Amino acid sequence: MTDESGAWEELVASALLGTGRRPGGPAAEAVLDAAAVHAVRRRAGLRAGPAAEPPEPAPHDDRAPLPEAARQRLAQLLAGRAAPAPAGGRRGAAPDVAELLPQWLAAAGRYGYRAPASALPALLDAARARTDLRPAALAFAGPRGLWLARQNPEWRFALRGAAGGAALPPADDHGAVRRLWDEGLFAERVALLAAVRAADPAAGRELLAATWAAERAEDRLMFLDSLRAGLSDADEEFLERALTDRSRNVRSTAAELLSALPASALAARMADRATSCVALDRSGDGDGGYAGIVVEAPHECDAAMQRDGLAPTPPPGRGERSWWLGQLVEYAPLSCWQERLGGRTPAQIVALPVADDWQPELHAAWSRAAVRQRDGAWSRALLGSPSTSSLAERAKLLATLEEDERAEWVAGFVSAHGLSEAFQLLGVCAVPWAEPLGRAVVDALDIARDAGSYPWSFSGVMGLAERCLDPGAADRLEALTTLVDEGEDAAPGAAGYWSEAFQRLVSTLRLRAALHEELVPHAR
């Protein structure tokens, strides 16, 4: 080894000085030849370093394998292959394949299939790029997907909600659950609490109560939010204790949860306060009846109100008294108003006039209460109120109704008001859209086409229709794919756009039908 080192150093010296300046040195060609020989010899003589520990084997996934046709379709969806869009920004008539991936993943999950091993890298890449895909994509990827995610830092996001990528202990393994709860990282504890709460709400609450006093305020807030799942009257005692928490945000969240329990003591306290502020107008209408509602908003937010979760300081632009009133009415059980306001139904109460311009504040608070308490009767009444003009507020109220009623209400809204205001409401309807809603949307699009409306303003609704219409409507829509004559007032190029848009709609619906057929078990 010493001779080898000396020969190499001699060659380096010759190269640095130059063969012509080194007396008796070798010619340039000889130096290069010798350097090549010594380089090969040095590399061949390197000793291998210690081998890295091989990763643990991937866990077994005993779910059913995908049918072959569905397997090929998944590869196509993950690749996002679609015909290139024509020039000018128009989408063309080809379906947007990548937008069908969420529906495909949801259907594959319902059938209980496991992801092909070869598709896992692309599946994790897709979930990394699109947060909306993550829940369904990670559930489909299963334990082998988490195993693979641990091998690549770019897929670390997949481990955050899965106890660091390891399987959570069974909810009934109390020793393992308690060890992870006491020793785990915050993300692991959040995932564990959610899993235990889903399996056994009482056990989840008891797990949280055991360490509640020692938790940081921001952690207490996150953990408390997990009680929304499986919330019941059995949680009241723990939530009442949380009302005395030193964190205002924790107190507010505890009050919000208690207000969703109409039989709770907090709901009763809020009912007493709220009903003292709202009453029937006893001046009558001349025949001994009641003309409407009068409001006397609270004049202070005392310590007891603040203990029950009311925020004393209003946001900018809000008056203190209206802010306090809105919170009281929002937290009060809706059942208290029928007795307070003469035994009237929710629809009759909402129809009463409210004195001194308090109606918007009162109705907005009732709307928040209806959403929190999932009260369909109040939601229906408030949806019909002229004061409920916010589309966001209407969407939340609609979400409390059954799917068929929701679709019927939105269908009526589309028929009466068109599509320009309906986009947000369509988003809360179950997929595929029920027939009345699908028909109303298609009829409104057809009317817009015949009127020569500016077509690009309907691209969002058309995209929703591609994903949400019942695939069985494809044949009926075929007639709308024809190119119609443009009227004098039509937007330039509108006829061509509408024809392409309806062609894409029809082809997308047929593709969705094919995707489902490939997934059903009898197709294997």
Side-chain angles (χ1 to χ4, degrees):
M1 182 64 66
T2 303
D3 292 343
E4 168 67 21
S5 299
W8 179 256
E9 292 173 358
E10 180 72 19
L11 285 170
V12 171
S14 297
L16 291 174
L17 292 173
T19 56
R21 297 176 56 189
R22 189 172 180 83
E29 293 82 358
V31 169
L32 294 176
D33 289 341
V37 170
H38 281 287
V40 172
R41 184 181 297 153
R42 285 166 63 87
R43 290 174 183 172
L46 289 176
R47 295 179 180 178
E53 287 293 327
E56 62 183 17
H60 180 67
D61 189 341
D62 58 3
R63 292 178 294 176
L66 274 176
E68 182 56 32
R71 184 187 182 103
Q72 295 178 10
R73 183 73 70 181
L74 173 61
Q76 179 191 25
L77 294 175
L78 288 172
R81 290 197 297 269
R90 287 160 61 163
R91 291 176 57 196
D96 189 345
V97 177
E99 285 304 309
L100 298 179
L101 182 57
Q103 285 191 16
W104 189 97
L105 289 170
R110 287 194 297 270
Y111 285 118
Y113 292 121
R114 71 168 180 261
S118 59
L120 289 175
L123 189 64
L124 290 170
D125 280 340
R128 179 168 65 95
R130 291 180 56 177
T131 55
D132 63 307
L133 290 178
R134 289 183 182 177
L138 296 178
F140 181 54
R144 292 191 295 179
L146 292 178
W147 175 88
L148 188 61
R150 291 200 298 272
Q151 318 306 320
N152 185 347
E154 292 188 353
W155 297 329
R156 194 170 297 158
F157 71 89
L159 310 178
R160 294 184 190 130
L168 293 171
D172 58 359
D173 187 346
H174 302 297
V177 165
R178 187 55 193 262
R179 280 193 300 274
L180 183 57
W181 179 250
D182 290 339
E183 302 171 6
L185 300 174
F186 176 69
E188 294 174 325
R189 301 177 74 214
V190 169
L192 177 67
L193 181 59
V196 173
R197 179 72 176 175
D200 185 346
R205 182 184 63 252
E206 291 166 5
L207 187 67
L208 178 57
T211 59
W212 177 258
E215 304 289 353
R216 299 183 308 166
E218 55 267 33
D219 294 350
R220 292 198 304 276
L221 182 62
M222 182 73 74
F223 292 143
L224 190 64
D225 201 58
S226 70
L227 297 188
R228 295 181 191 277
L231 183 68
S232 71
D233 291 336
D235 299 315
E236 181 182 1
E237 182 180 352
F238 176 81
L239 292 172
E240 274 285 341
R241 292 200 303 270
L243 286 176
T244 63
D245 196 271
R246 55 187 179 274
S247 166
R248 183 177 63 81
N249 289 332
V250 171
R251 294 196 303 272
S252 178
T253 300
E256 180 187 342
L257 293 172
L258 283 167
S259 71
L261 301 173
S264 68
L266 178 135
R269 295 193 296 270
M270 291 297 189
D272 288 342
R273 294 168 179 141
T275 53
S276 70
C277 298
V278 179
L280 286 172
D281 180 1
R282 297 187 179 276
S283 62
D285 58 4
D287 297 320
Y290 300 119
I293 294 174
V294 291
V295 173
E296 179 66 28
H299 291 272
E300 65 172 339
C301 184
D302 59 31
M305 293 164 66
Q306 294 182 46
R307 176 196 176 275
D308 281 348
L310 265 69
T313 305
R318 290 287 300 275
E320 284 185 333
R321 297 182 67 198
S322 65
W323 172 244
W324 299 331
L325 174 73
Q327 293 179 85
L328 289 178
V329 174
E330 175 184 349
Y331 286 167
L334 289 164
S335 57
C336 73
W337 297 111
Q338 289 179 265
E339 179 180 356
R340 177 62 170 164
L341 301 176
R344 288 170 168 79
T345 66
Q348 291 170 334
I349 292 172
V350 170
L352 290 172
V354 183
D356 300 325
D357 298 324
W358 281 107
Q359 180 170 298
E361 185 68 54
L362 189 59
H363 283 201
W366 277 335
S367 293
R368 295 191 296 274
V371 170
R372 183 174 300 163
Q373 298 171 36
R374 310 295 296 177
D375 193 306
W378 276 89
S379 292
R380 283 184 213 99
L382 290 159
L383 280 166
S385 168
S387 64
T388 310
S389 57
S390 164
L391 292 177
E393 193 173 46
R394 283 175 167 167
K396 291 177 182 178
L397 291 169
L398 281 169
T400 69
L401 305 180
E402 295 296 329
E403 292 180 358
D404 289 344
E405 185 179 2
R406 201 184 312 166
E408 185 176 353
W409 195 94
V410 178
F413 184 90
V414 170
S415 298
H417 304 284
L419 292 169
S420 59
E421 298 182 12
F423 187 85
Q424 193 167 358
L425 304 180
L426 291 170
V428 301
C429 294
V431 177
W433 288 337
E435 196 277 335
L437 176 58
R439 184 176 63 249
V441 171
V442 172
D443 287 348
L445 288 170
D446 191 20
I447 290 170
R449 179 190 68 159
D450 290 344
S453 300
Y454 191 66
W456 294 273
S457 61
F458 294 91
S459 59
V461 175
M462 188 64 79
L464 266 183
E466 292 169 15
R467 298 187 295 275
C468 302
L469 269 177
D470 190 325
D475 291 341
R476 181 167 53 87
L477 296 174
E478 189 73 50
L480 299 179
T481 64
T482 57
L483 189 64
V484 298
D485 294 333
E486 290 186 0
E488 293 182 1
D489 297 331
Y497 173 91
W498 283 112
S499 176
E500 287 180 355
F502 280 115
Q503 289 176 45
R504 185 173 59 252
L505 176 58
V506 170
S507 60
T508 301
L509 294 179
R510 288 177 174 155
L511 178 56
R512 284 175 52 208
L515 297 181
H516 183 270
E517 181 63 24
E518 292 163 358
L519 283 167
V520 295
H522 66 72
R524 284 187 276 175

